[in-house]
Amino acid sequence: ELGQYRHFMQKEIFEQPQALGNTLEMLSGAGCLQPGIFGADAAGVLTDVDSVLILACGTSSYAGNTARYWIEQLAGLPCNVEIASEYRYRVSVANPRQLVVVISQSGETADTLAALHHAKSLGHRHTLAICNVPESAIVRETSLRFITRAGPEIGVASTKAFTTQLSALFLLTLLLAKGNGRLTDARSDDGLDASQEQDFLAELRHLPVAVEKVLALEPEIEAWAQRFADKQHALFLGRGRHYPIAQEGALKLKEISYIHAEAYPAGELKHGPLALVDAEMPVVVIAPNDELLEKLKANMQEVSARGGELFVFADGCSKVAESEGINILRLPEHYGLLSPVLHVVAQQLLAYHVALVKGTDVDKPRNLAKSVTVE
Ligand code: F6R
């Protein structure tokens, strides 16, 4: 079953172009996006919603954190993301026009299912499941659904489920943007127009090829991994829509290599974590060439000045230069709003190769289960 791969995690990382292609299959030949991909009732619901609440656990919650940036920016709707196990036990204020999105690879996570029950008991009517298992418990209980077509995920650490969740969430964002009148025929200053929709659909269609190019960086990432294996701690920094990718990079590293890793939005560095930085603490930075790069460079400078070693994931056009203590790896394409999908693949490869060097049980990390059906 493993074919040319050493572990399911590696196989599943490399299956991502296919998984994305399958999940986005409806786009081939489609002129524009139809709400029906989220279920028969989606057209009415997506024009009625006035805000979004995303509920999930672990990696799936980081997909939600990424989507929050997309939904507020493109669809202009307020979006909150809450950890399912917190939401279910908290007194919260329900809004019946809010779209509740539950994200789960397995569709069986006890806390996510209970959070969905809780939302419904509070009067939420608009519920959407983004799941990888069509006959799962969560899918049976929502009014709308989108099934990612990642195929079975065997490795405990989630990889291809995450990137396909992101692709589904981007489709949702575009439909919400349309439903909110942000997608019209005429160009407007702040809204999405029809040609923008075409541009985004073209980017989505190209995503499998773009991911393929990131996978080709495996040898360089493997070389970096050697330098993490003897470390006790690592810090992951990102900003904006790449902060959730820093969170996911840190989670991947800690769960399979057992290295303590923490993610921070880079602007928070001097509010605390900078005190930890020394030569023994590698600092991973997600640094695509976006509107926040200059800010991020200032944060990198703060790390360098304290003797911290930087491992920077940039892209072709990021103006950051290699020097003593600053290692740079360039992702081949700069991918705008969808860039998190590419950057997370590099993070998965880094965690995988650090774990290989350490000799841990990559597919079955200690103390963890694939599907968490108890709270
Ligand atoms: C991390 C990981 C977990 C899951 C979490 C939710 O690699 O796999 O954090 O993401 O347990 O699982 P699902 O998505 O099945 O609800």
Side-chain angles (χ1 to χ4, degrees):
E1 265 195 68
L2 276 173
Q4 65 193 101
Y5 299 106
R6 288 179 66 179
H7 296 96
F8 282 105
M9 181 179 180
Q10 187 190 26
K11 176 169 181 268
E12 288 160 9
I13 291 172
F14 278 82
E15 279 171 352
Q16 288 177 111
Q18 184 72 48
L20 285 163
N22 290 344
T23 300
L24 297 170
E25 196 181 16
M26 84 294 272
L27 296 183
S28 65
C32 68
L33 216 46
Q34 300 297 339
I37 59 174
F38 285 91
D41 300 332
V45 172
L46 296 180
T47 46
D48 185 52
V49 301
D50 67 355
S51 57
V52 179
L53 171 64
I54 300 179
L55 303 170
C57 301
T59 288
S60 294
S61 78
Y62 298 148
N65 288 350
T66 312
R68 176 167 169 253
Y69 289 89
W70 292 336
I71 291 170
E72 297 222 352
Q73 181 173 342
L74 285 183
L77 294 174
C79 177
N80 282 312
V81 185
E82 192 156 343
I83 297 291
S85 55
E86 286 296 310
Y87 173 77
R88 63 181 287 199
Y89 291 121
R90 177 173 87 79
V91 177
S92 56
V93 180
N95 162 9
R97 281 191 61 200
Q98 194 164 48
L99 176 65
V100 176
V101 182
V102 281
I103 309 173
S104 174
Q105 186 284 129
S106 61
E108 303 291 345
T109 300
D111 281 318
T112 308
L113 183 59
L116 172 63
H117 291 162
H118 182 61
K120 286 174 33 174
S121 77
L122 292 178
H124 281 288
R125 298 173 287 122
H126 301 325
T127 54
L128 161 67
I130 295 179
C131 278
N132 195 41
V133 182
E135 54 289 328
S136 59
I138 287 175
V139 174
R140 286 197 297 269
E141 298 195 27
T142 52
S143 52
L144 306 180
R145 61 196 53 86
F146 185 98
I147 306 300
T148 51
R149 289 174 56 198
E153 198 180 57
I154 308 223
V156 164
S158 188
T159 53
K160 59 180 182 169
F162 180 76
T163 42
T164 54
Q165 286 165 355
L166 288 180
S167 68
L169 288 159
F170 200 78
L171 294 173
L172 176 66
T173 303
L174 294 180
L175 284 165
L176 286 169
K178 282 173 112 172
N180 198 27
R182 291 256 175 158
L183 208 136
T184 57
D185 286 334
R187 279 227 177 250
S188 61
D189 286 343
D190 57 352
L192 266 184
D193 64 24
S195 65
Q196 268 180 299
E197 179 183 9
Q198 293 309 317
D199 292 348
F200 283 126
L201 295 185
E203 283 180 23
L204 282 168
R205 286 191 198 99
H206 181 67
L207 209 44
V209 175
V211 167
E212 205 73 72
K213 293 185 193 167
V214 181
L215 293 171
L217 298 175
E218 189 181 32
E220 282 106 302
I221 297 176
E222 194 177 350
W224 275 15
Q226 306 286 341
R227 298 161 67 185
F228 282 73
D230 63 341
K231 297 289 190 287
Q232 303 294 320
H233 308 274
L235 197 59
F236 286 69
L237 303 177
R239 275 181 177 262
R241 60 188 172 272
H242 294 91
Y243 167 49
I245 300 309
Q247 293 180 302
E248 173 61 2
L251 178 61
K252 287 283 96 91
L253 189 71
K254 74 184 112 180
E255 72 181 324
I256 62 167
S257 78
Y258 315 146
I259 292 175
H260 168 228
E262 275 195 81
Y264 268 93
E268 277 291 288
L269 205 50
K270 54 167 101 54
H271 299 286
L274 198 52
L276 293 169
V277 171
D278 64 14
E280 288 309 303
M281 172 93 131
V283 180
V284 173
V285 190
I286 323 287
N289 187 28
D290 64 15
E291 60 286 358
L292 293 167
L293 184 62
E294 287 308 312
K295 300 277 172 211
L296 201 55
K297 279 159 75 177
N299 304 133
M300 285 160 48
Q301 184 52 41
E302 292 163 3
V303 171
S304 292
R306 272 103 196 151
E309 180 147 29
L310 289 158
F311 292 85
V312 183
F313 289 85
D315 54 35
C317 44
S318 307
K319 292 187 189 57
V320 275
E322 187 120 2
S323 64
E324 177 70 26
I326 307 184
N327 309 284
I328 298 186
L329 200 138
R330 292 186 193 279
L331 269 62
E333 292 190 56
H334 176 69
Y335 226 77
L337 286 183
L338 283 162
S339 160
V341 184
L342 300 191
H343 272 276
V344 78
V345 174
Q347 296 306 311
Q348 296 164 349
L349 285 171
L350 178 64
Y352 173 70
H353 281 287
V354 175
L356 269 196
V357 180
K358 292 198 70 177
T360 54
D361 189 349
V362 173
D363 284 335
K364 288 195 176 61
R366 66 187 183 200
N367 311 338
L368 298 177
K370 180 66 187 160
S371 188
V372 186
T373 52
V374 292
E375 73 168 295

